[in-house]
């Protein structure tokens, strides 16, 4: 992997501060690695995006296996590091001294103290439990004062959604503070994939998240292909890009139906749901399943988009585009809906920068973070498209970004289909087993999706780290709700449309 600077753990904070360039270079990811199996110790990787150079810069801070895992926390100077540092503390035992909120993040109270599952000495089948009375208290952050009371919601909800516990501190109906406890169904997929070949791991990667199968597999395959130093054929890149945009369209359309569900806007809910079903059926015709699994493979793609399928895409998306315009008109003409979404759930621009938000969450707050533009991959360098931003950072802005991004995606798909009509290159190339480490990144519907992959001498996975788009955006939700009324929480939550499964990887 290029652009890696190896440093001492004691120097991590100073080096990270310099590399961030006062927020101009967003913190992309931060994760740990156990290298004891090859005679080394533990390491922290810190990745920053350098958008003006279309690359990542990486710090690697190593410490001997028997060394001190304490270091000066980056969170006081880089707020975006908060969750990463808490997760590394859980999974590897690193101790971020001076962290403002050192509570466990991933490992709940049922896990024993001193248990760090991503260390090599821990078996993937281990099932530890805390001793009776150990760590039984659930520590939630709440406000205190006269007239303030708590409202607990979850982790089990009335709808068919994944578990998450939300603790509101309220004065009347106004939300003063929100603390969220997530990671209730963490699957340990990064541990499960250790020792597997990329092809063996691929079905797991595809199932990290049902909404982001293409984004996850593309990021993963990019990393593997970089390690093997292979070039993917042009037609495969066109198909990957096409499927990525179809996945984005499907998710954005679904979100346009889900956001009005937060206020019971039934006609919009119905039209959004019906239109998403049209797209899910299209995906099944393209890939043989409704989630576009099995298409992207290391080295390219496993199937072609024939002339018949290309016409199917054109016909279906023409109908979808009409429905999107109908939704946009419906939103604009419903005054009560506009009153609910304007100035609700605001994330200010500086907050988006400080937390290194991605995707719609970033761009609705005028933070133009889009890996399709910030990195050269796939067929995006050959496409004409604009990065969509809004300034107000509220629910209305996040909805407006989605609508305009849908228009941009329809335009990109038409360009990609024309390129496919004229291109006749191969669909894939062989990817030999190789040792090394690298990353892949792609822009999912929710934002940039990053995979770091390290392969050992036999070409098997020694470490994989998955950072979905939802991961950096979840910490913005408690900020967005402050000052709004509690009936608006479902609306604000749906406007981010964050994924639980992407956390519980």
């Amino acid at each position: 992997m290029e652009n890696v600077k190896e440093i001492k753990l004691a120097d991590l904070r100073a080096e990270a501060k310099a590399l961030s360039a006062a927020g101009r270079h967003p913190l992309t990811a931060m994760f740990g690695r156990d290298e004891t199996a090859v005679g080394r110790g533990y390491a922290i990787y810190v990745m920053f995006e350098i958008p003006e150079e279309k690359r990542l810069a990486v710090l690697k801070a190593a410490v001997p296996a028997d060394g001190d895992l304490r270091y000066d926390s980056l969170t006081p100077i880089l707020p975006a590091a908060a969750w990463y540092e808490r997760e590394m503390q859980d999974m590897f035992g690193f101790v971020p001294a001076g962290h403002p909120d050192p509570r466990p993040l991933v490992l709940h109270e049922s896990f024993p103290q001193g248990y760090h599952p991503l260390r090599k000495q821990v078996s993937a089948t281990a099932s530890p439990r805390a001793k009776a009375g150990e760590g039984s208290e659930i520590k939630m952050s709440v406000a205190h004062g006269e007239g303030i009371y708590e409202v607990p919601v979850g982790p089990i909800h009335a709808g068919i959604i994944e578990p998450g516990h939300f603790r509101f501190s309220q004065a009347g109906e106004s939300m003063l503070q929100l603390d969220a406890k997530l990671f209730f169904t963490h699957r340990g997929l990064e541990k499960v994939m250790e020792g597997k070949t990329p092809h063996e791991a691929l079905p797991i990667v595809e199932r990290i998240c049902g909404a982001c199968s293409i984004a996850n597999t593309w990021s993963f395959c990019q990393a593997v292909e970089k390690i093997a130093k292979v070039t993917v054929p042009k037609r495969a890149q066109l198909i990957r890009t096409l499927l990525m945009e179809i996945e984005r369209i499907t998710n954005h359309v679904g979100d346009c139906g889900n956001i009005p569900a937060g206020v019971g806007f039934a006609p919009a809910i119905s039209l959004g749901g019906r239109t998403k079903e049209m797209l899910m059926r299209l995906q099944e015709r393209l890939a043989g399943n409704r989630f576009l699994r099995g298409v992207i493979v290391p080295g390219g793609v496993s199937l072609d988009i024939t002339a018949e399928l290309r016409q199917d895409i054109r016909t279906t998306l023409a109908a979808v585009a009409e429905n999107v315009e109908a939704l946009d008109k419906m939103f604009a003409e419903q005054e009560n809906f506009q009153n609910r979404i304007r100035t609700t759930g605001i994330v200010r621009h500086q907050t988006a920068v400080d937390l290194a938000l991605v995707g719609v969450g970033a761009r609705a707050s005028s933070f133009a973070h889009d890996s399709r533009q910030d990195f050269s991959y796939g067929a995006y360098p050959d496409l004409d498209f604009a990065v969509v931003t809004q300034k107000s950072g509220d629910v209305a802005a996040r909805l407006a970004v989605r609508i305009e991004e849908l228009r941009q995606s329809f335009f990109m798909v038409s360009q990609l289909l024309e390129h496919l009509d004229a291109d006749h290159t191969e669909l894939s190339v062989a990817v030999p087993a190789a040792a090394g480490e690298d990353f892949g990144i792609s822009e999912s519907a929710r934002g940039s999706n990053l995979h770091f992959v390290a392969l050992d001498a036999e070409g098997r996975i020694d470490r994989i780290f998955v950072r979905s788009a939802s991961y950096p955006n979840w910490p913005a939700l408690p900020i967005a709700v402050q000052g709004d009324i509690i009936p608006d929480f479902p609306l604000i939550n749906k406007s981010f449309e964050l994924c639980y499964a992407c956390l519980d990887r």
Side-chain angles (χ1 to χ4, degrees), residues 219-282:
S219 296
F220 175 74
C221 288
Q222 275 186 45
V224 173
E225 290 152 5
K226 287 181 183 179
I227 294 169
K229 295 180 172 57
V230 299
T231 300
V232 175
K234 180 181 177 181
R235 190 170 188 82
Q237 297 285 30
L238 289 169
I239 292 172
R240 287 179 172 186
T241 309
L242 173 66
L243 295 179
M244 182 77 261
E245 290 308 308
I246 290 174
E247 185 173 84
R248 184 185 326 283
I249 291 168
T250 301
N251 281 285
H252 276 357
V253 166
D255 294 345
C256 288
N258 288 335
I259 291 171
V263 294
F265 189 3
I269 300 168
S270 298
L271 183 55
R274 181 165 62 85
T275 307
K276 183 179 180 181
E277 178 60 24
M278 293 166 58
L279 290 159
M280 297 296 287
R281 294 182 182 187
L282 172 64

Side-chain angles (χ1 to χ4, degrees), residues 58-344:
V58 184
L59 298 174
K60 181 180 180 181
V63 60
D66 59 351
D68 186 0
L69 298 183
R70 292 177 61 86
Y71 67 98
D72 291 333
S73 170
L74 305 191
T75 301
I77 62 168
L78 296 173
W83 268 27
Y84 296 112
E85 293 193 310
R86 290 172 66 188
E87 180 170 325
M88 290 193 305
Q89 180 175 255
D90 289 350
M91 298 308 214
F92 291 94
F94 288 103
V95 181
H99 193 293
D101 182 11
R103 293 175 297 167
L105 181 71
V106 179
L107 302 184
H108 287 192
E109 291 74 19
S110 58
F111 289 92
Q113 296 179 5
Y115 173 71
H116 306 297
L118 285 184
R119 290 189 176 186
K120 295 296 185 184
Q121 66 195 43
V122 178
S123 169
T125 60
S127 56
R129 290 291 180 268
K131 298 177 182 178
E134 180 183 53
S136 59
E137 180 185 358
I138 298 176
K139 297 179 180 179
M140 301 296 294
S141 178
V142 296
H144 299 280
E146 185 177 353
I148 296 176
Y149 59 96
E150 298 175 31
V151 177
V153 178
I156 305 304
H157 302 273
I160 305 175
I161 62 173
E162 293 164 274
H165 177 62
F166 302 97
R167 188 74 61 89
F168 298 91
S169 297
Q170 287 184 242
E173 282 199 328
S174 295
M175 295 177 282
L176 301 181
Q177 182 174 319
L178 167 63
D179 192 21
K181 188 177 183 66
L182 304 167
F183 299 89
F184 278 90
T185 55
H186 200 274
R187 293 164 287 172
L189 298 183
E190 294 173 348
K191 186 73 173 182
V192 169
M193 286 187 273
E194 289 182 5
K196 297 186 184 300
T197 67
H199 283 282
E200 291 170 342
L202 192 62
I204 301 173
V205 171
E206 289 181 319
R207 288 160 177 79
I208 292 171
C209 170
C212 303
S213 293
I214 290 297
N216 278 312
T217 51
W218 197 358
S219 296
F220 175 74
C221 288
Q222 275 186 45
V224 173
E225 290 152 5
K226 287 181 183 179
I227 294 169
K229 295 180 172 57
V230 299
T231 300
V232 175
K234 180 181 177 181
R235 190 170 188 82
Q237 297 285 30
L238 289 169
I239 292 172
R240 287 179 172 186
T241 309
L242 173 66
L243 295 179
M244 182 77 261
E245 290 308 308
I246 290 174
E247 185 173 84
R248 184 185 326 283
I249 291 168
T250 301
N251 281 285
H252 276 357
V253 166
D255 294 345
C256 288
N258 288 335
I259 291 171
V263 294
F265 189 3
I269 300 168
S270 298
L271 183 55
R274 181 165 62 85
T275 307
K276 183 179 180 181
E277 178 60 24
M278 293 166 58
L279 290 159
M280 297 296 287
R281 294 182 182 187
L282 172 64
Q283 292 184 170
E284 186 170 18
R285 294 193 295 273
L286 296 177
N289 62 82
R290 290 164 63 89
F291 300 99
L292 296 174
R293 293 170 181 157
V295 181
I296 295 182
V297 296
V301 294
S302 64
L303 54 81
D304 199 4
I305 303 296
T306 64
E308 182 180 0
L309 289 174
R310 295 198 293 275
Q311 184 56 45
D312 189 357
I313 293 170
R314 290 185 174 99
T315 302
T316 302
L317 292 193
V320 169
E322 288 185 9
N323 288 356
V324 168
E325 296 305 320
L327 278 167
D328 189 33
K329 183 178 180 182
M330 197 180 296
F331 294 147
E333 293 178 348
Q334 177 49 254
E335 185 176 351
N336 289 338
F337 180 66
Q338 290 294 321
N339 287 339
R340 291 293 296 276
I341 65 176
R342 290 174 179 166
T343 69
T344 301

Side-chain angles (χ1 to χ4, degrees), residues 339-388:
N339 287 339
R340 291 293 296 276
I341 65 176
R342 290 174 179 166
T343 69
T344 301
I346 294 174
V347 175
R348 303 188 186 282
H349 172 77
Q350 191 59 49
T351 301
V353 173
D354 289 343
L355 295 180
L357 300 191
V358 298
V360 172
R363 296 190 286 271
S365 301
S366 68
F367 182 24
H369 188 295
D370 190 322
S371 62
R372 294 174 295 178
Q373 173 184 266
D374 298 338
F375 295 88
S376 295
Y377 69 94
Y380 288 113
D382 300 323
L383 299 182
D384 180 16
F385 70 99
V387 174
V388 179

Side-chain angles (χ1 to χ4, degrees), residues 396-422:
R398 290 187 282 276
L399 182 57
V401 167
R402 286 183 174 90
I403 293 290
E404 186 55 39
E405 283 193 359
L406 280 165
R407 297 182 178 121
Q408 293 291 324
S409 290
F410 294 140
F411 181 43
M412 279 190 273
V413 167
S414 67
Q415 297 174 65
L416 289 161
L417 292 174
E418 289 181 7
H419 286 308
L420 282 169
D421 288 340

